[in-house]
Amino acid sequence: MDPEFNGLEALEDRIRQELGFLNYPPTNWVKPVAGPDGEPALDVAIIGGGMCGMAVAFGLKREGIRKFRIFDAADKGFEGPWMTTARMKTLRSPKHLTGPHMGLPNLTFQAWYRAQWGDEGWQALGYIPREVWMDYLRWYRHILSIRTENNVRLQKITPQDGLLRLHLTGPEGGFEVMSRRLVLATGRAAFGGTRLPGVFRDVPTKFIAHTEDEIDFAALKGKRLLVVGGAASAVDSAAAALEAGAKEVHLLMRAREIPRLNKFKNTVYPGYFRGFSSLDDETRWRFLHHGLSSRVAAPRLSMLRLKEFDNFHIHTGVEVTSARERDNRICLGTRDRTFDGDFVILGTGYAIDVREQPELAPFSEDILLWQDCFTPPAEIANAELGRFPYLGPGFELLEKNKGKASFLNRIHLFNAATTLSHAAVSSDIPGVNIGAERLVNTLAVQFFTEGKDQHLQDFYDYDEPELLGDEWRDEELS
Ligand SMILES: Cc1cc2nc3c(=O)[nH]c(=O)nc-3n(C[C@H](O)[C@H](O)[C@H](O)COP(=O)(O)OP(=O)(O)OC[C@H]3O[C@@H](n4cnc5c(N)ncnc54)[C@H](O)[C@@H]3O)c2cc1C
């Protein structure tokens, strides 16, 4: 999409001016802590340079916490799902969502869009095309000078001397950094990867992909495709395959009827985002349990995308009980029938299982989970919710047994796994400002309190005179 006129420069000037009014960026005030080699450790390492990681980075810089680095495994400008594994045409949330503005109106998506396409363009815009949203995020990074080190992956974490040693791999091979705090802004599949139901475990990879995988839709032309799942990503993948010329697409969903509600749409308001983490455990659990067990409907636009295809079929009430290869095809068995196809796409969502999360798995026995500290009444039992991490007020991991793994509270999850402890303030667009603000506030408090002796000593040592002695006349003194 070509902008009709370019008001972006003027917008950028306004933002620079506003940041200037806020004395941005203030000088660093955090007391350095040396690593084992005597060099100062990072104060914060952020893994993930998508929307959440960038919002935290901006927040830190604005608070004068400047010694941080951001690493992302993806190519520059391709962070997050938007240009890779997302198959919807537009965002699922409405266009007036404000994005990671962190309190600056000129940083909103709307300001950015209007600056280029004008008021009329804004009125004409329905939902935000996902490529346009990615462009906005790229611009956000540019205007705030957020320096992300791309193609760098966190592999392992080793606690050492009260710090965290991070083992990373980048274009030039492996390297390590020491950091006081680690923020995992690692997105959706961040606490156990994708959910792969047991029946699919042994299916050869040439027959199967998860919606989180890169999929060559062109190769599905003329093929019969089976899509398992009924939520957004399954439906969008079905549509992408049909548009790429698939011969037939069968969507197999467990629900007996097509889900029509997305209960979580009713949680998008400041009270929920700000107050959720202060609720008692049972109420938090009830919210999530009810929302998830009501089954989340696919977005209306995604479903409409499928409607025009006569070669698309929805099968409800289907529980796949077996999956095997036969005559170079894949057969999915259910209680009363078999579906066969050339390829299967699993839209089965994300797992919550820390044992499957490479960088956290070594500590899986030590990380406090909800199942360790809350037993729900029988009618709302939910094994998956039990596997969510039970986080502290600053998104930090907590240890299961006191004193055994205290380094865990230096690791802050700022991804989708925080939802049961904090609501969707570190995953979805509407809540990200509130989440980033909360995390940055926590980190500022922690750095100050950890450095309290030095700050107090600075205070004792402070000797910059306010009065120079020439503010009064000697004869005024008696
Ligand atoms: C298909 C799809 C559509 C969505 N649509 C909407 C929507 O319409 N509205 C809405 O509010 N939300 C939506 N969401 C939810 C949410 O807004 C997105 O998931 C968004 O990308 C979250 O931003 P993030 O920064 O948390 O994660 P991401 O954008 O996923 O960024 C995480 C980054 O972490 C990096 N990373 C992960 N692990 C490592 C590692 N070990 N080392 C280095 N880097 C790593 C990844 O490369 C990635 O770039 C959608 C999500 C998906 C998947």
Side-chain angles (χ1 to χ4, degrees):
M1 197 190 293
D2 280 331
E4 279 171 19
F5 69 97
N6 200 334
L8 206 52
E9 273 182 34
L11 178 69
E12 292 183 357
D13 286 345
R14 280 202 299 280
I15 291 172
R16 289 195 188 97
Q17 190 184 42
E18 282 174 356
L19 291 173
F21 292 159
L22 292 170
N23 300 325
Y24 175 86
T27 46
N28 186 62
W29 56 265
V30 182
K31 296 295 174 196
V33 168
D37 56 0
E39 291 296 312
L42 288 180
D43 290 323
V44 188
I46 301 174
I47 306 298
M51 170 186 74
C52 287
M54 290 198 294
V56 173
F58 176 44
L60 288 175
K61 206 164 158 186
R62 207 161 74 172
E63 289 299 311
I65 301 169
R66 311 255 323 246
K67 199 162 174 45
F68 66 85
R69 283 167 77 178
I70 314 172
F71 303 101
D72 196 300
D75 290 343
K76 181 174 179 181
F78 290 84
E79 300 83 2
W82 312 110
M83 302 304 289
T84 50
T85 54
R87 276 112 200 174
M88 69 283 186
K89 292 201 161 156
T90 62
L91 257 60
R92 295 159 184 165
S93 345
K95 66 178 177 184
H96 57 258
L97 51 83
T98 51
H101 60 81
M102 300 295 280
L104 296 189
N106 281 319
L107 269 184
T108 57
F109 174 80
Q110 185 174 166
W112 174 82
Y113 195 87
R114 279 180 189 268
Q116 297 170 92
W117 287 277
D119 292 346
E120 275 182 32
W122 174 253
Q123 300 308 337
L125 178 70
Y127 280 78
I128 304 169
R130 63 183 164 80
E131 297 85 353
V132 174
W133 178 253
M134 185 75 235
D135 279 344
Y136 163 72
L137 292 177
R138 290 173 182 143
W139 170 79
Y140 183 91
R141 170 177 170 162
H142 151 77
I143 186 63
L144 295 175
S145 306
I146 294 171
R147 189 172 166 268
T148 303
E149 296 171 58
N150 285 95
N151 307 112
V152 177
R153 179 174 287 281
L154 172 70
Q155 304 286 4
K156 193 175 149 196
I157 306 164
T158 319
Q160 186 182 344
D161 303 334
L163 299 170
L164 300 169
R165 181 181 288 277
L166 307 181
H167 306 257
L168 301 133
T169 46
E172 270 111 53
F175 67 102
E176 295 173 2
V177 296
M178 299 298 295
S179 186
R180 297 172 69 183
R181 301 264 159 191
L182 172 64
V183 172
L184 293 175
T186 39
R188 220 66 183 167
F191 206 70
T194 52
R195 190 188 286 139
L196 181 64
V199 290
F200 298 104
R201 291 252 152 85
D202 298 327
V203 175
T205 49
K206 66 174 179 170
F207 288 118
I208 197 163
H210 191 278
T211 53
E212 268 286 307
D213 298 329
E214 295 213 5
I215 299 172
D216 179 4
F217 281 92
L220 296 176
K221 188 170 179 187
K223 300 279 167 64
R224 185 178 148 99
L225 175 69
L226 308 175
V227 179
V228 179
S233 291
V235 169
D236 287 322
S237 294
L242 288 162
E243 287 162 6
K247 189 169 86 185
E248 265 177 56
V249 175
H250 294 263
L251 189 77
L252 315 181
M253 59 170 81
R254 257 187 318 184
R256 294 198 177 282
E257 288 177 14
I258 297 175
R260 292 189 181 205
L261 277 179
N262 177 356
K263 288 268 181 181
F264 291 105
K265 274 188 153 177
N266 191 243
T267 61
V268 182
Y269 54 95
Y272 186 82
F273 291 142
R274 290 200 187 273
F276 187 84
S277 61
S278 302
L279 294 174
D280 59 274
D281 291 350
E282 183 171 330
T283 310
R284 285 190 278 180
W285 184 284
R286 281 188 182 280
F287 266 111
L288 266 264
H289 176 75
H290 181 69
L292 294 174
S293 50
S294 307
R295 295 190 189 276
V296 181
R300 179 174 158 76
L301 285 182
S302 299
M303 288 301 285
L304 286 175
R305 204 174 150 194
L306 293 166
K307 204 174 171 186
E308 64 181 274
F309 290 97
D310 295 335
N311 50 347
F312 172 65
H313 309 275
I314 303 181
H315 306 269
T316 54
V318 174
E319 176 89 45
V320 178
T321 51
S322 67
R324 60 197 157 74
E325 181 183 353
R326 195 173 58 201
D327 301 332
N328 207 26
R329 284 167 78 82
I330 176 83
C331 297
L332 302 186
T334 71
R335 219 179 20 215
D336 49 11
R337 67 174 284 193
T338 304
F339 294 89
D340 70 309
D342 299 299
F343 197 73
V344 178
I345 294 180
L346 298 178
T348 44
Y350 304 95
I352 291 290
D353 185 352
V354 66
R355 293 167 305 178
E356 298 295 327
Q357 190 59 36
E359 68 276 12
L360 296 175
F363 320 123
S364 60
E365 292 300 311
D366 296 317
I367 294 173
L368 185 73
L369 305 178
W370 273 74
Q371 66 195 17
D372 301 320
C373 49
F374 175 68
T375 306
E379 79 275 10
I380 52 168
N382 186 324
E384 179 153 82
L385 287 186
R387 293 195 294 274
F388 272 75
Y390 193 97
L391 299 172
F395 303 92
E396 67 277 22
L397 290 171
L398 300 175
E399 53 185 342
K400 205 181 286 183
N401 301 304
K402 217 163 172 36
K404 198 156 171 265
S406 55
F407 67 90
L408 286 173
N409 71 14
R410 299 193 165 271
I411 302 175
H412 302 258
L413 297 197
F414 201 65
N415 53 38
T418 70
T419 319
L420 184 52
S421 295
H422 282 267
V425 294
S426 55
S427 51
D428 292 352
I429 300 166
V432 65
N433 293 298
I434 289 174
E437 184 190 290
R438 187 177 301 164
L439 175 56
V440 169
N441 187 42
T442 302
L443 292 171
V445 170
Q446 283 164 345
F447 289 133
F448 180 72
T449 51
E450 281 173 18
K452 67 180 190 315
D453 293 342
Q454 286 165 282
H455 288 295
L456 183 60
Q457 192 59 50
D458 280 0
F459 188 61
Y460 289 154
D461 295 345
Y462 180 75
D463 62 356
E464 193 182 309
E466 172 71 22
L467 299 181
L468 303 176
D470 58 358
E471 293 85 0
W472 60 87
R473 284 177 283 118
D474 286 345
E475 49 274 30
E476 286 174 357
L477 294 173
S478 60

